[in-house]
Amino acid sequence: MIPIRNAAISSPDAAWHWRRLLDAPHRLAFFAGSLLLALTGVWWAAVMLAQALGLAESWAVPAAVAHGLVMSLGLWPLFFAGFLFTAGPKWLGQPPVEATQLRWPIGASLAGWLLFIVGVHVELALAAGGVALAAAGLAALTLRFGRMVCTSRSPDRLHAALVLLACGVGTALLAAASAALALQRLDLVRAAVQAGLWGCIGLVFVSVTHRMLPFFSAAAVPGLDAWRPRWLLGTLAAAMLAEAALAAADLLSWSLPVAWRALQALAEAAMAALLLWLALRWGLLQSLKIRLLAMLHVGFVWLGLAFALAALSHGLMAATDGARSLGLAPLHALAAGFCGSTLLAMATRVSAGHAGRALHADAVVWSLFWLLQLAVVARVAAALWDAAAGSLLPIAALAWAAATVGWAWRHARWWGRPRADGQAG
């Protein structure tokens, strides 16, 4: 079974203070990340409702480009900081990181994305400057984590090294996106978005999942073993980086022969089969009785579905000489399905553990998780079914906003209060 703390829960009236948010890496980063997650969810839901009602909007950056950039390279790195500077020192045998060392880069990242959201409606230069500020914040966090990795003497640094590589890729792509926005090269921004989803955000989640999911499953389900060979991690990482490069090539209109499309579709189909088999191998069916573990497994299934959709899309492109595809369905399965579900599960687990609460998903978290699944299904369906997109897109945006705002509100109240078990921390 998953270990559960048996301490009594503190009163809901226990003193909440914002200073607690600033004194631990996970609370500082998770609060900033959840604030951005909730605000962007509400912002995009408002945009979708305005479009559905035919209301005029002002855009200095096209809506699709703005949405893609903030929802790909914007939402996740702040949560990465919370994980990496809490679990990272334990992985690497390094001393704990003080939250004071992270305040300015986390603050810069959050401020940059808030400026970006304002800028996309009023001024292109402000939007580009916001992305540059966010890139500076991510660069500082990446360098700080890089020093931990490079000075570590731990014999197992592979997962951390891959995460560091992914963060370096993300930093470079954010800097490139800022310059591309300033130069009004929207094709380069789109290329950075899709390359970043696969080669930065997706690679981080794949690396962490390979390390943690089989471990959590084996600890909770009798009879399972924490099987996670290194060749498997290498295969997953290579697949994510290859998808990043090919997605960028597509958007930059580099000509790829039909035979290459067919080969890519076959490789993606093989990867989808491997991932879906791996979900079963790691205990998908056995996990369904344990909500928090089931959330992680459902997220991992979405990764397999993202590759399956990519295989179908590139197969269609090969068969029709590029005339038909599945559009953005694979990307939303990856970003909202895999990354969104995994984030909700892992951030809930970390928040509960460090708040001195039981490590399980209660009815509130479980409901929010399935609301998020509704958002993912609606968004993927909108990409696959053009005729219904006008109805499905607002549903997806509203469900996503409700899930993220609900999750952020619930857990921010934990982060600002003393631990429920009375212990220090």
Side-chain angles (χ1 to χ4, degrees), residues 359-406:
L359 296 182
H360 72 87
D362 61 13
V364 174
V365 170
W366 192 238
S367 299
L368 293 172
F369 177 76
W370 287 106
L371 188 57
L372 187 139
Q373 299 310 300
L374 171 63
V376 180
V377 171
R379 185 59 188 88
V380 172
L384 298 175
W385 189 10
D386 287 341
S391 300
L392 290 171
L393 288 174
I395 292 172
L398 287 169
W400 178 271
T404 54
V405 170

Side-chain angles (χ1 to χ4, degrees), residues 10-21 23 27 357 412-420 425:
S10 65
S11 164
D13 297 324
W16 188 98
H17 202 288
W18 65 269
R19 287 188 182 277
R20 274 188 60 79
L21 302 175
D23 66 6
R27 288 196 291 268
R357 296 172 181 266
R413 292 184 295 162
W414 291 6
W415 302 326
R417 288 192 173 99
R419 286 176 60 106

Side-chain angles (χ1 to χ4, degrees), residues 125-209:
L126 183 61
V131 177
L133 184 58
L138 180 57
L141 292 169
T142 301
L143 288 172
R144 181 70 184 79
F145 185 64
R147 286 197 295 272
M148 287 173 50
V149 175
C150 293
T151 58
S152 171
R153 295 296 177 263
S154 171
D156 183 8
R157 291 180 289 170
L158 179 58
H159 295 88
L162 283 174
V163 170
L164 178 60
L165 170 63
C167 290
V169 169
T171 300
L173 289 172
L174 264 186
S178 173
L181 271 178
L183 296 172
Q184 301 186 49
R185 286 291 307 274
L186 299 184
D187 58 330
L188 296 178
V189 178
R190 293 188 183 96
V193 165
Q194 294 205 18
L197 262 179
W198 291 101
C200 171
I201 309 305
L203 180 55
V204 170
F205 276 106
V206 160
S207 301
V208 173
T209 297

